Amino acid sequence: MSRQSIASTLLKGLIAGGLSVAALSPIYAQAEPLKVVTSFSILDDMVETIGADHVSVTSLVGPDGDVHAFSPKPSDAQSLADADLIVVNGLQLEGWIDRLIDASEYQGDIVVASEGVKTRPFEGHGDEDEGDGHGHDHDDHDHDHDHDHDHDEHDQAANGGEEGHHHHGDVDPHAWQDLENGEQYARNIRDALVKADPDHADDYRANAKQYIEKMEALDTETKQRMAQIPEQNRLIITSHDAFGYFADAYGLELLSPVGINTLAEPSASDMAQLTQQIESSHAKALFLENMSNPALINQLHEETGIAIGGTLYADALTPDGEGSTYLGMFQHNVDTLIEALTTND
C-alpha cells in the first residue's frame, strides 16, 4: 500500500472516529423535555396532550385531589424552582399559588390558562375561608397574555392580599366545565409552549389543532344530547358549585349544599332550606363528585328520597380509566347525566 493510500485510510478513519464522537456528544443529543409544573390534574392532561414527548409535566394537585383544600409541601416549592414553565388556572382558584411561587423564587413565565375565557359570576356563599394559611388572589397579579412574569409586581400584589384567606370573589373559577372555554385553555397552553420551546412549535400547533377539534366535536355532541333531557328533569344537585359553566352551556340548572369551596359546610338552616327546595323542584337525581366528601349528598338522599345518579368528575381527573383525561372526564359526565336524567321512573 502506498503512503498516499495509507494516509487516505488514516484520514478516513479519523473522520469516521470524529463523527462518531460528535454523534455521542451532548450537542447532538436529543434536547431535554421542557419541565412544566401545573397546578392541578386537568391542566396536567392538557399540557401533556399538546406537548406530547417534548414536555415533562408535574401536577401539584394530583388525580382525585382537591385544589381547594391543597396545602403545599416544601417539595412543591422545589418543583416550581426547577420548572421551565408554570401553568395555573387563574380566576382565583388556587389561593395558595402565589405564596408558593414566592417561596420557590421561580423566575420564569407563568401561564394563566383561563385567560380570555368567558367567565360567569358567582353569587353564592360569598368569601370562604380555605383554612390552609395561604391566600393571595392570583388574578391580582400581572401575568399578561404574553406570559411575561414581573416578580416585582407579583410581590407587591401578594403583599397587598389578605393573609390566611382564600377569597374566590365574584367569579366562578371552574371555567373548564364549558368545552368552548377548554378550547381557549388549549390555545393559551399552545402559545406558551411555542414561546418556551420554539424548536417544536409546529408539533405544538398541530397537537393543539387536533385537540381543539376534538373539543369542538364533543361540544356539539353534548349540546345535541342534552337537548333530549325533558325540561322538568334539568335540575342537577352536586356537592359544590363546580358545574355552573356546564349548566349554563348545556341548558341545565344547578343546586349545591355549599358554594365553590369544598371545605365550606352548610348550616342546619341552609340544609333545611335546600331540602325543601329540592323536594318542591321534583329533582330527578343527586350526584356525587370524585374529589368531594359524599356525606352531604348522602344526607340529602336520605332526607329527600331522591336517587343518587352517579359520580361526576369536577375539579380533578382520576388516576386511570375514562376520567383520567379532560375529554374522557367530560364524556363521562355527559353520559352519567344523560343516563340519570332521561331514565323513566
Side-chain angles (χ1 to χ4, degrees):
M1 181 181 293
S2 68
R3 290 184 179 180
Q4 185 176 1
S5 298
I6 293 173
S8 176
T9 301
L10 289 173
L11 180 60
K12 290 178 181 179
L14 287 171
I15 292 174
L19 289 174
S20 177
V21 171
L24 295 174
S25 70
I27 296 175
Y28 292 87
Q30 184 176 357
E32 289 292 320
L34 198 69
K35 294 180 182 179
V36 183
V37 175
T38 64
S39 57
F40 70 121
S41 58
I42 292 172
L43 295 180
D44 181 292
D45 177 64
M46 289 182 170
V47 173
E48 286 189 341
T49 300
I50 297 170
D53 294 338
H54 304 314
V55 297
S56 174
V57 189
T58 300
S59 179
L60 296 175
V61 184
D64 284 337
D66 187 348
V67 67
H68 300 285
F70 180 67
S71 182
K73 307 179 297 295
S75 59
D76 295 320
Q78 187 59 53
S79 295
L80 295 188
D82 295 339
D84 298 311
L85 190 67
I86 295 175
V87 182
V88 301
N89 183 78
L91 302 180
Q92 304 177 30
L93 177 72
E94 306 100 338
W96 38 265
I97 191 66
D98 292 313
R99 293 280 301 261
L100 183 60
I101 290 172
D102 288 341
S104 73
E105 299 184 350
Y106 172 78
Q107 295 296 317
D109 288 346
I110 296 177
V111 185
V112 179
S114 65
E115 187 170 354
V117 303
K118 182 179 179 181
T119 59
R120 68 184 297 273
F122 172 69
E123 300 173 351
H125 297 248
D127 292 340
E128 294 158 332
D129 187 350
E130 289 250 323
D132 61 1
H134 302 281
H136 298 290
D137 292 345
H138 187 85
D139 282 2
D140 286 342
H141 307 316
D142 185 17
H143 309 315
D144 63 23
H145 188 64
D146 290 331
H147 318 293
D148 294 327
H149 185 54
D150 189 327
H151 282 266
D152 290 338
E153 293 184 7
H154 164 89
D155 294 340
Q156 181 180 1
N159 291 333
E162 183 177 347
E163 293 293 335
H165 293 78
H166 178 188
H167 297 301
H168 287 293
D170 57 0
V171 175
D172 185 343
H174 304 89
W176 63 86
Q177 292 290 356
D178 178 346
L179 282 163
E180 288 188 11
N181 284 341
E183 295 167 25
Q184 182 62 22
Y185 277 52
R187 295 185 193 100
N188 290 334
I189 291 169
R190 172 201 64 198
D191 293 346
L193 293 177
V194 167
K195 179 185 176 185
D197 181 22
D199 288 346
H200 298 111
D202 289 345
D203 289 343
Y204 298 139
R205 292 189 180 107
N207 292 342
K209 183 176 182 294
Q210 293 179 2
Y211 196 31
I212 290 170
E213 287 173 350
K214 290 180 180 179
M215 291 186 201
E216 291 172 340
L218 183 55
D219 182 58
T220 299
E221 175 192 330
T222 300
K223 289 174 179 174
Q224 292 172 345
R225 295 182 67 192
M226 288 294 164
Q228 301 170 10
I229 299 174
E231 197 69 31
Q232 67 273 18
N233 291 352
R234 290 177 175 270
L235 175 65
I236 60 173
I237 302 159
T238 61
S239 300
H240 81 298
D241 281 347
F243 293 94
Y245 286 94
F246 189 103
D248 288 353
Y250 305 110
L252 301 178
E253 182 183 353
L254 175 67
L255 284 178
S256 70
V258 299
I260 56 179
N261 184 349
T262 55
L263 294 181
E265 294 185 5
S267 66
S269 61
D270 287 338
M271 287 295 288
Q273 183 179 2
L274 182 62
T275 298
Q276 292 177 355
Q277 188 175 1
I278 291 172
E279 289 175 339
S280 64
S281 70
H282 306 290
K284 192 168 181 65
L286 308 169
F287 295 92
L288 301 170
E289 297 174 11
N290 66 314
M291 33 59 66
S292 294
N293 189 327
L296 291 175
I297 293 298
N298 287 331
Q299 180 181 343
L300 288 172
H301 166 64
E302 293 174 2
E303 293 181 0
T304 65
I306 296 175
I308 294 177
T311 298
L312 302 177
Y313 302 140
D315 297 2
L317 302 181
T318 58
D320 48 40
E322 62 182 350
S324 62
T325 68
Y326 172 61
L327 291 178
M329 170 202 82
F330 215 95
Q331 185 71 67
H332 166 88
N333 288 346
V334 172
D335 292 343
T336 300
L337 288 166
I338 290 290
E339 181 177 358
L341 300 180
T342 60
T343 301
N344 294 327
D345 294 328

